[in-house]
Amino acid sequence: MRWHESILEYKRGRYLKATLVLTAAAIAVYAWHEPPGHVKPNGGTWLGYTLGTIAALLIVWLMLLGLRKRRYRSSAGSLQGWTSAHIYLGTSLIVLASLHCGFEFGWNVHTLAYMLMLIVIVSGFFGVYAYLRYPELMTANMGAESLDTILPKIAELDRKCVQLALDLPDEINAIVAKSTRSGPRENTKPGRPRWRLPGSGQRYTARDAVKAISRVGAKFKGEQAVQNGKLLAEMTRKSVLVDQVRRDMRLRAKLRGWLFVHIPLSFALLAALTAHIVSEFFFW
Amino acid sequence: MILVTYITAGARGQVQREQRRLMGTSFSVGRGTKAQVQLPDGRVKLDHAHILVADTGVTIVADAGEIKAKGKTVKVAALVPGEDVEVGPYLLHVESAPSGLDLALTVTLAKPRISRSRKALLQVFLSLPRLSKRRLSYLLFFTIIIAFLVLPSLPDLEKKMTLPMDGKQRGMMQEMSTLLGGGFSQTWKPGPLSPSHQLFGDSCRTCHQIPFVPVRDAACLDCHKTLKDHVERWKLSGSRGLAFLETRCTECHSEHNGLPIAPRAQERCADCHRDIKSVALQARSENASDFRTGHPQFRLSLLDADHPDVLKRVRQGKPTPPDMVEHSNLKFNHALHLNPAGLRDPEGRRDASGMHDSQGNRTVLKCASCHTPEENGRFMAPVSMEKHCRQCHSLAFEPAVTKRQVPHGNEELVATTLREFYARLALGDTPPDINPPSDMSRVRPGAVLTYEDRQRVLKLAQQKADRVLNELYETRGVCVTCHTVQRIDSAAGWRVAPVKIAKTWLPHAMFRHADHATQSCTSCHDVRDSKRAEDIAMPSINRCRECHVGAQPQLDKVTSECALCHSFHSGHEAWQGAPKGQKRAEAK
């Protein structure tokens, strides 16, 4: 056995094969199937109902992954297997649902369910990419460090910079103050972050501070220049660490961010699917 | 000289005091190490302020920074014992100065910086809003359930609910739920309605009357009241026959495709008609599945003029079945009438109508001379003696005496006309245009007749009339040219065999002559060699197949599914032909 096996290659692509068989069979039956009465293929034929039932059950099962992954003691297949099947069978839904509806779309709850399903699946594709790519990048970025080791270092550098700036002109001091400030939430209680739109916060990065300090400090002489040099060195060290942390955060956000689309929309899909099924039979 | 006491918090929170004596009369206040009164915090300016000792008193003067006394920003503040002055985050409290000192100050950091715990730091980077996947999931789930499930079904839910409401409230509730439900149930609409049902607009419940029950036939029949059964129920047999009986409207008529709702698919017809005996054991029709590849010969409906109640259906075939004759009791020779050299025309040259080609006093007849289409475009109008025959076929009873003719179509009227005519002559009343016949005794004009005289004269007139009647029916052969006649013992004296001409041979086929106007008459009905009225000039299916193919399209051929000629719901009534405009609309 290999040391590491990607979820895509789980058991030599067992679920990839299963998915290919399933979709190929569905396509073949769809091509062979002639709806009675020469109407266009639709969800109301026996094939439509069959594909619809399979797809609906699949959606419910795919959503059960959320439960399975929390059941650490479950013996219902390995989580890796579940995830591999989740990815492949989830992808097969694109084919199954499209054949189910016979490519009929409109401004209604039925197409809403279809569109939600597509968004969920595409966000899932991003998730697969993220899980295969980002952990590697995160390791490369942080090396032996971790947030737990790096954040105290930044705090320490902050403290040093503030100290060094005390003897420097107000302009420099202001730069240091700005770069060590906790950003837009300075006046809010810790632990209660507010909603913030991307780019709306007045962000002053350590890198900005480095540039500003060296620009302002260029005209300093003597002792002041020496002091400023020390500050610049510390601020540069900080900016390197901050960049590292930011990159780590960015990767973490990307690694988990797609779930904010994938999961809530899959519940939206579940609701739309319920409405779709009930409405079909309500107005039979 | 002044005394400055710094009060700071130690590592374990204990208070530490540090005192400094400063010499001079002016002392700088700032954050730097060079400031005499050092306030080491980033929020203090490098040259924040300075303290001045003068004879008039001790003051603090703001320089680059800001100072506050009694809560107000000031430029200069007097340092009087008991006073507090804020310099940035520091609080400077003036104590009463011991002797020898100009000022005693205690300095405390009143507003320390928020300590940068790891958590606080993390928040700098993890500036994610408090977004919870779970909360978002609930929100979306229930929003969609309410908007797309609860609201659309509101009118039906409302009926089930038993809320303690009075009539007015209930009415309002109903109105509201109908309004909301009607609007939101549009989100359930899988596709546009067929053109003929678009008049229902947004009211789904016109057809979908009971929740969770498929659209019932009764809902269709609410409007479609005159639909006939496709076939009488008793004719169906076997399980397939039963299954056919239970076919619901919607199994053939599927809605919400934006297409015409009438199914054109012949597969549906062929399901049963491919093997008709499996559905109706007694069926006399033959199997049919496609016009080109599987359609029997036509079965013509034949009338018998002598037995008008009996309709005989005879299937075309080769050789022509012996009973494929028309018993119309009429004699007619198409070949003679269509003589290309023309017919003798008693009125000589006529060319006004355009229906006749005239050469000298001979008239050349064409089909359209006698056969004109009816207004609905389906049938040809009946040929009539008055319009089409009489111009040549005169009913003059004694041409040497008068141009008058007997009426057509009523034997009694013919006899009466003759008797009255000759009685009038016999009684001496001769109209000016009459050349009285020589073989009739006449009364002298002006003579007074006794009763016996009149009886004698009238009897002679009656005998003359009977003679002429016989000539008309028998010897001169006026009537027998076209009719079969028979002497009977009645006032009329003769009986003309009743005439019955087929109006349609294929009463269930939706054939329209008007749709076939591009073809010549003889291309289907070749009567140029027909010498007898018994001949039937109906085209065979092979003639139709020269232009029409089945459901499978072919180049230069008309694709013809069952429904092109047959109607499912017309029952056993002959098709009467739809107005042209309507048919076009259906075909769209």
Side-chain angles (χ1 to χ4, degrees):
Chain A
M1 204 180 132
R2 284 168 57 188
W3 174 72
H4 176 76
E5 188 178 46
S6 147
I7 38 175
L8 294 181
E9 292 153 16
Y10 180 77
K11 301 266 186 203
R12 290 197 211 141
R14 173 193 288 183
Y15 295 106
L16 171 64
K17 285 173 200 158
T19 299
L20 287 178
V21 169
L22 178 65
T23 49
I27 291 170
V29 177
Y30 183 84
W32 163 81
H33 173 64
E34 221 173 279
H38 280 226
V39 292
K40 287 187 68 182
N42 61 68
T45 64
W46 67 262
L47 179 63
Y49 281 131
T50 309
L51 287 172
T53 309
I54 294 174
L57 291 176
L58 259 182
I59 288 174
V60 172
W61 178 80
L62 290 167
M63 290 189 69
L64 288 179
L65 179 71
L67 286 183
R68 170 64 187 84
K69 70 167 192 176
R70 287 176 173 79
R71 300 246 163 93
Y72 300 106
R73 293 166 67 190
S74 168
S75 55
S78 74
L79 186 55
Q80 215 186 357
W82 270 66
T83 312
S84 181
H86 182 92
I87 292 163
Y88 285 119
L89 292 175
T91 308
S92 77
L93 274 178
I94 299 177
V95 175
L96 295 184
S98 302
L99 297 181
H100 162 64
C101 71
F103 304 95
E104 286 280 333
F105 304 106
W107 294 104
N108 49 40
V109 67
H110 320 293
T111 301
L112 172 73
Y114 182 86
M115 292 315 293
L116 285 172
M117 186 198 75
L118 283 193
I119 298 172
V120 169
I121 293 173
V122 171
S123 69
F125 288 161
F126 179 80
V128 173
Y129 172 78
Y131 277 1
L132 292 182
R133 180 94 185 99
Y134 293 146
E136 207 175 291
L137 292 179
M138 284 164 79
T139 312
N141 176 51
M142 292 297 264
E145 300 276 13
S146 73
L147 278 186
D148 282 334
T149 60
I150 221 167
L151 288 177
K153 284 186 189 170
I154 292 175
E156 177 59 23
L157 285 171
D158 263 352
R159 207 187 50 73
K160 274 189 192 165
C161 288
V162 170
Q163 196 64 42
L164 285 167
L166 288 180
D167 269 346
L168 286 164
D170 289 342
E171 207 177 344
I172 297 285
N173 184 59
I175 292 165
V176 172
K178 217 159 143 194
S179 81
T180 55
R181 199 153 49 197
S182 53
R185 289 184 315 283
E186 187 171 46
N187 297 323
T188 57
K189 268 196 282 173
R192 301 258 332 159
R194 282 173 303 151
W195 284 84
R196 220 187 75 188
L197 293 173
S200 70
Q202 73 264 43
R203 175 171 284 177
Y204 193 77
T205 63
R207 224 181 300 169
D208 294 331
V210 169
K211 269 186 229 157
I213 289 167
S214 60
R215 180 168 44 77
V216 174
K219 56 179 184 271
F220 293 166
K221 296 216 166 60
E223 204 183 315
Q224 224 174 26
V226 174
Q227 180 87 348
N228 200 56
K230 282 183 193 163
L231 175 64
L232 193 60
E234 298 298 347
M235 193 55 94
T236 307
R237 280 180 61 200
K238 181 190 161 188
S239 91
V240 170
L241 291 184
V242 165
D243 278 351
Q244 215 173 342
V245 172
R246 279 189 195 286
R247 192 166 153 71
D248 189 60
M249 289 297 149
R250 203 157 50 235
L251 290 170
R252 268 166 204 262
K254 278 184 181 173
L255 192 61
R256 304 220 177 93
W258 65 278
L259 283 168
F260 283 84
V261 175
H262 193 73
I263 289 171
L265 283 193
S266 63
F267 277 93
L269 164 61
L270 190 66
L273 183 69
T274 311
H276 160 65
I277 294 170
V278 171
S279 75
E280 283 293 337
F281 293 105
F282 195 94
F283 282 172
W284 207 337
Chain B
M1 190 165 69
I2 63 173
L3 176 69
V4 182
T5 311
Y6 296 92
I7 301 174
T8 51
R12 283 182 215 92
Q14 79 278 29
V15 176
Q16 289 181 338
R17 285 170 170 272
E18 189 193 336
Q19 288 196 332
R20 263 186 216 162
R21 280 164 196 268
L22 303 171
M23 303 293 286
T25 53
S26 176
F27 311 93
S28 61
V29 179
R31 65 167 188 269
T33 44
K34 287 184 188 122
Q36 283 158 300
V37 178
Q38 197 198 356
L39 305 175
D41 188 287
R43 287 169 284 183
V44 178
K45 301 282 181 196
L46 202 59
D47 307 308
H48 201 100
H50 62 277
I51 295 170
L52 269 181
V53 180
D55 296 342
T56 48
V58 188
T59 51
I60 179 162
V61 181
D63 291 326
E66 214 174 53
I67 56 175
K68 278 184 183 176
K70 292 176 183 143
K72 278 183 192 160
T73 306
V74 290
K75 199 78 193 139
V76 183
L79 297 175
V80 185
E83 283 291 315
D84 284 335
V85 176
E86 289 177 49
V87 179
Y90 287 91
L91 189 71
L92 276 52
H93 181 69
V94 186
E95 312 272 354
S96 50
S99 58
L101 290 175
D102 296 314
L103 177 70
L105 272 181
T106 54
V107 176
T108 5
L109 185 61
K111 295 175 191 161
R113 272 181 183 265
I114 298 162
S115 75
R116 307 212 124 193
S117 66
R118 181 178 170 270
K119 198 174 168 192
L121 249 177
L122 259 175
Q123 279 160 14
V124 178
F125 299 105
L126 281 175
S127 57
L128 278 173
R130 241 186 5 156
L131 200 62
S132 150
K133 283 181 289 221
R134 181 168 302 203
R135 220 181 288 178
L136 212 54
S137 301
Y138 277 128
L139 187 75
L140 286 172
F141 185 87
F142 287 109
T143 306
I144 287 181
I145 287 287
I146 288 169
F148 297 109
L149 189 55
V150 177
L151 286 181
S153 52
L154 206 57
D156 295 282
L157 291 177
E158 192 267 337
K159 273 184 218 150
K160 297 261 172 203
M161 282 189 291
T162 44
L163 297 174
M165 286 188 294
D166 60 33
K168 197 180 164 197
Q169 284 171 322
R170 184 164 288 277
M172 268 172 61
M173 180 79 183
Q174 264 169 9
E175 209 168 291
M176 206 174 71
S177 66
T178 310
L179 197 72
L180 271 174
F184 277 92
S185 55
Q186 289 312 293
T187 61
W188 287 6
K189 197 171 172 180
L193 286 171
S194 62
S196 48
H197 284 164
Q198 278 168 6
L199 74 154
F200 297 140
D202 296 347
S203 45
C204 310
R205 287 161 178 87
T206 309
C207 304
H208 302 279
Q209 292 173 340
I210 306 175
F212 299 109
V213 173
V215 173
R216 299 169 309 147
D217 291 355
C220 307
L221 296 175
D222 279 351
C223 297
H224 299 275
K225 289 190 169 87
T226 57
L227 280 189
K228 306 257 178 338
D229 279 341
H230 177 60
V231 61
E232 288 96 324
R233 296 180 157 238
W234 59 267
K235 284 188 180 166
L236 296 163
S237 64
S239 58
R240 297 198 65 207
L242 271 177
F244 177 79
L245 270 181
E246 279 168 14
T247 307
R248 292 184 305 112
C249 302
T250 50
E251 287 177 46
C252 300
H253 300 281
S254 62
E255 247 303 355
H256 293 296
N257 301 314
L259 303 168
I261 192 168
R264 291 260 153 201
Q266 71 172 16
E267 263 315 295
R268 289 209 172 260
C269 306
D271 272 350
C272 291
H273 283 272
R274 181 177 284 120
D275 181 10
I276 192 69
K277 301 275 187 209
S278 72
V279 188
L281 204 58
Q282 309 288 324
R284 277 174 298 170
S285 57
E286 285 183 16
N287 291 338
S289 52
D290 181 80
F291 186 71
R292 190 177 71 84
T293 60
H295 194 290
Q297 295 275 358
F298 297 145
R299 248 191 319 169
L300 304 189
S301 293
L302 302 185
L303 287 164
D304 189 333
D306 293 324
H307 305 97
D309 301 334
V310 182
L311 193 72
K312 195 157 62 166
R313 298 183 78 184
V314 179
R315 203 174 286 285
Q316 291 180 326
K318 274 204 164 152
T320 306
D323 50 353
M324 185 66 88
V325 287
E326 184 175 23
H327 288 290
S328 62
N329 280 341
L330 209 59
K331 299 171 193 163
F332 189 79
N333 186 333
H334 268 105
L336 188 74
H337 282 83
L338 290 171
N339 184 357
L343 300 167
R344 267 189 300 116
D345 186 337
E347 285 182 26
R349 190 186 181 88
R350 288 184 310 166
D351 54 5
S353 69
M355 293 203 314
H356 309 273
D357 283 343
S358 299
Q359 294 164 351
N361 58 354
R362 291 180 77 83
T363 295
V364 179
L365 292 182
K366 295 187 289 184
C367 302
S369 305
C370 301
H371 300 288
T372 51
E374 267 187 354
E375 213 148 86
N376 66 17
R378 181 175 188 211
F379 300 117
M380 302 309 277
V383 173
S384 89
M385 170 72 184
E386 296 305 326
K387 270 198 239 160
H388 303 109
C389 310
R390 198 159 211 168
Q391 283 162 336
C392 299
H393 292 277
S394 159
L395 294 182
F397 49 89
E398 201 171 0
V401 173
T402 177
K403 281 184 180 161
R404 295 188 189 194
Q405 302 188 8
V406 288
H408 183 254
N410 188 329
E411 296 96 328
E412 268 151 45
L413 214 54
V414 170
T416 311
T417 304
L418 290 182
R419 277 170 201 147
E420 284 174 359
F421 178 77
Y422 288 111
R424 188 180 172 192
L425 287 187
L427 289 172
D429 181 14
T430 309
D433 61 321
I434 300 292
N435 179 23
S438 53
D439 60 342
M440 230 183 120
S441 63
R442 274 168 291 161
V443 176
R444 180 173 45 82
V448 177
L449 294 176
T450 63
Y451 178 74
E452 286 73 24
D453 289 339
R454 289 162 61 97
Q455 290 300 314
R456 187 179 48 82
V457 171
L458 284 177
K459 196 170 181 190
L460 288 173
Q462 172 93 36
Q463 284 165 358
K464 168 69 176 171
D466 285 346
R467 214 161 44 240
V468 173
L469 204 59
N470 280 351
E471 283 171 16
L472 205 60
Y473 277 115
E474 207 170 28
T475 29
R476 263 182 64 223
V478 173
C479 300
V480 292
T481 308
C482 306
H483 294 286
T484 314
V485 298
Q486 189 189 352
R487 191 191 289 273
I488 55 163
D489 191 16
S490 79
W494 294 84
R495 180 175 168 272
V496 175
V499 172
K500 196 109 188 174
I501 301 172
K503 188 173 167 81
T504 171
W505 302 95
L506 298 163
H508 298 301
M510 296 193 287
F511 179 87
R512 282 162 53 90
H513 274 104
D515 292 342
H516 295 77
T518 50
Q519 302 295 308
S520 73
C521 305
T522 49
S523 67
C524 295
H525 306 287
D526 193 355
V527 291
R528 284 168 297 191
D529 295 325
S530 163
K531 295 197 168 81
R532 302 183 315 143
E534 284 77 14
D535 292 345
I536 293 174
M538 285 298 289
S540 72
I541 191 169
N542 294 330
R543 179 70 193 91
C544 299
R545 282 176 179 154
E546 284 173 27
C547 300
H548 289 271
V549 289
Q552 198 67 40
Q554 260 184 41
L555 190 64
D556 292 336
K557 304 275 176 171
V558 181
T559 305
S560 312
E561 296 197 333
C562 306
L564 189 70
C565 304
H566 299 287
S567 157
F568 183 87
H569 285 298
S570 66
H572 268 247
E573 273 177 19
W575 185 71
Q576 291 305 321
K580 188 110 187 158
Q582 189 185 331
K583 199 174 179 204
R584 261 201 217 110
E586 276 172 17
K588 234 177 246 171

